[in-house]
Amino acid sequence: MTQHFLLSKAARTLTLAKVFRMSEDQAYETFREMRWEGGEPVCPHCGGTHVYEYRARRIFKCKACGRQFSVTSGTLFHSRKLQMRDYLAAVAIFCNGVKGTSALQLSRDLDVQYKTAFVLAHKLREVMAVEQQDRRLSGEVEIDGAYFGGYVKPSNIREERLDRRRSLNKAGTRQVVVAARERGGKLLTNVYPKESGGNNFIASRLDKGTVIYTDEAYSWRPLHKQFKGYRINHTERYVDGHITTNRVESFFSRLRRAEMGQHHSIAGPYLDNYADEMAWREDNRRLSNGEQFQRLIEYAASLGRSNQWAGYWQRQAKVENNFV
Ligand SMILES: [Zn+2]
């Protein structure tokens, strides 16, 4: 029997133990080498490569523009508060969480405040979203949508139970994740109030001549007008020769498992971030976690500071104070 990939040696090149065996100096050097080729600093302000180094304070000063910077300046870990080793550990823990990693787990594993872990996890999701940014799909592409959120608790009394299948009886917080998956290729995800909302987005990302596969939902009609495609009638069967959407649906089951097993609820304003995260895990599932780790760190180093998450709790505190 062939061994499951996740149990093979290649999948275990990076262990959390390795990170925790590093001294803070080693962690710093590791990050420095991942950020800059050969660890040679480049000024994030002007791109200058002639730099003074103040070793004791781990500060650099650019000879060209005279400004100071650190190894994390202008990266996702900008204005960092944790030790370098904690960041590496966070990325390792996050990579290892095949079904997602909750902020609560991260806060316990790293022994940091929940708020710190919450922002850190969301920053890593932001990194994961980068791969989808300019992605185009072609060949054969399966498309589907799945609803999240808007759970209506059934009444304990039978006569008072609503038919929860009727949209009239569903809560307004429901949103749909629309996903397109190239056969043998990668995923694209986005979030909309209704399934049909994703048509323009998907159409804009498919190459000419793409063949699409969907279920029989009315939502996909505009796409079928633009692209050659097939529909599978799910009330009858899930596979009809080559006509199936099982590949895109396996992504949704991964997203559901992350919701149930890790987060309990991924609905609301961050649904898009969770979808990006799980798409990244699905797309990169064949990389060893050493490679996944390397990839995330490199993106984190090159992405620049987070617009969405830098200073998140400080802004939240301001909003709350305004209501006091
Ligand atoms: Zn400079």
Side-chain angles (χ1 to χ4, degrees):
M1 206 182 93
T2 49
Q3 194 181 26
H4 191 284
F5 177 75
L6 287 177
L7 299 177
S8 70
K9 204 175 171 199
R12 288 184 279 110
T13 49
L14 175 95
T15 62
L16 192 57
K18 270 187 198 160
V19 174
F20 278 123
R21 270 186 228 120
M22 287 180 184
S23 64
E24 177 60 12
D25 284 344
Q26 285 169 329
Y28 172 83
E29 291 304 327
T30 303
F31 189 84
R32 181 171 166 166
E33 275 172 32
M34 282 175 154
R35 178 172 190 194
W36 294 310
E37 218 180 316
E40 292 300 321
V42 179
C43 172
H45 308 292
C46 75
T49 51
H50 298 285
V51 166
Y52 300 106
E53 183 173 355
Y54 304 103
R55 278 216 153 251
R57 286 169 55 219
R58 288 184 180 158
I59 293 284
F60 306 97
K61 187 177 172 185
C62 175
K63 288 185 187 176
C65 72
R67 295 174 73 180
Q68 290 190 347
F69 58 94
S70 76
V71 72
T72 54
S73 295
T75 75
L76 199 70
F77 303 134
H78 192 92
S79 67
R80 73 192 161 96
K81 292 165 196 73
L82 302 180
Q83 293 211 317
M84 226 46 249
R85 197 174 57 173
D86 290 332
Y87 285 105
L88 296 187
V91 175
I93 292 167
F94 211 71
C95 280
N96 288 346
V98 179
K99 294 185 173 69
T101 304
S102 68
L104 183 64
Q105 188 191 331
L106 206 53
S107 90
R108 286 176 175 172
D109 285 350
L110 293 174
D111 190 22
V112 299
Q113 274 191 28
Y114 177 80
K115 288 178 170 188
T116 308
F118 176 86
V119 165
L120 197 51
H122 271 295
K123 281 182 175 177
L124 291 172
R125 290 184 189 107
E126 197 178 345
V127 172
M128 289 173 160
V130 172
E131 286 188 7
Q132 278 196 38
Q133 231 161 45
D134 303 311
R135 178 170 290 162
R136 299 193 62 78
L137 306 183
S138 59
E140 295 182 301
V141 173
E142 298 180 10
I143 298 155
D144 200 11
Y147 281 91
F148 286 83
Y151 176 70
V152 180
K153 196 169 182 288
S155 168
N156 286 325
I157 302 162
R158 192 169 184 178
E159 287 74 43
E160 290 178 6
R161 272 181 212 160
L162 301 168
D163 182 350
R164 291 184 295 153
R165 290 168 300 185
R166 298 183 64 195
S167 56
L168 186 74
N169 296 330
K170 291 183 198 294
T173 50
R174 226 163 62 109
Q175 291 171 288
V176 64
V177 175
V178 170
R181 184 172 202 174
E182 189 178 298
R183 288 187 180 172
K186 307 247 157 128
L187 277 151
L188 269 180
T189 58
N190 225 343
V191 171
Y192 299 94
K194 280 184 185 169
E195 197 172 60
S196 56
N199 278 304
N200 286 344
F201 165 71
I202 291 173
S204 73
R205 297 294 194 96
L206 297 183
D207 283 351
K208 222 178 146 196
T210 299
V211 178
I212 61 169
Y213 295 85
T214 69
D215 58 24
E216 292 220 311
Y218 192 75
S219 332
W220 312 118
R221 279 184 66 163
L223 273 179
H224 279 283
K225 281 184 184 157
Q226 287 182 66
F227 295 90
K228 185 189 170 207
Y230 300 91
R231 294 180 175 88
I232 181 94
N233 183 350
H234 279 167
T235 54
E236 287 172 9
R237 53 171 74 86
Y238 278 84
V239 181
D240 182 6
H242 65 112
I243 307 172
T244 174
T245 55
N246 280 355
R247 291 168 187 82
V248 71
E249 275 165 48
S250 72
F251 162 68
F252 286 124
S253 40
R254 186 187 273 260
L255 190 56
R256 294 262 179 232
R257 285 198 300 272
E259 178 178 44
M260 289 186 289
Q262 284 290 331
H263 307 290
H264 308 297
S265 170
I266 58 172
Y270 307 126
L271 180 57
D272 197 23
N273 307 74
Y274 290 107
D276 288 336
E277 175 196 345
M278 298 320 288
W280 190 90
R281 292 185 190 282
E282 187 75 18
D283 286 338
N284 293 297
R285 69 197 183 287
R286 293 276 161 195
L287 291 182
S288 68
N289 52 3
E291 289 170 301
Q292 291 182 3
F293 176 83
Q294 177 98 16
R295 196 171 270 214
L296 282 191
I297 290 280
E298 280 174 6
Y299 284 143
S302 65
L303 193 61
R305 55 179 296 177
S306 170
N307 290 326
Q308 193 182 357
W309 297 104
Y312 174 80
W313 289 110
Q314 288 88 326
R315 288 200 302 278
Q316 289 298 103
K318 254 188 221 159
V319 173
E320 278 162 28
N321 288 338
N322 286 342
F323 286 104
V324 170

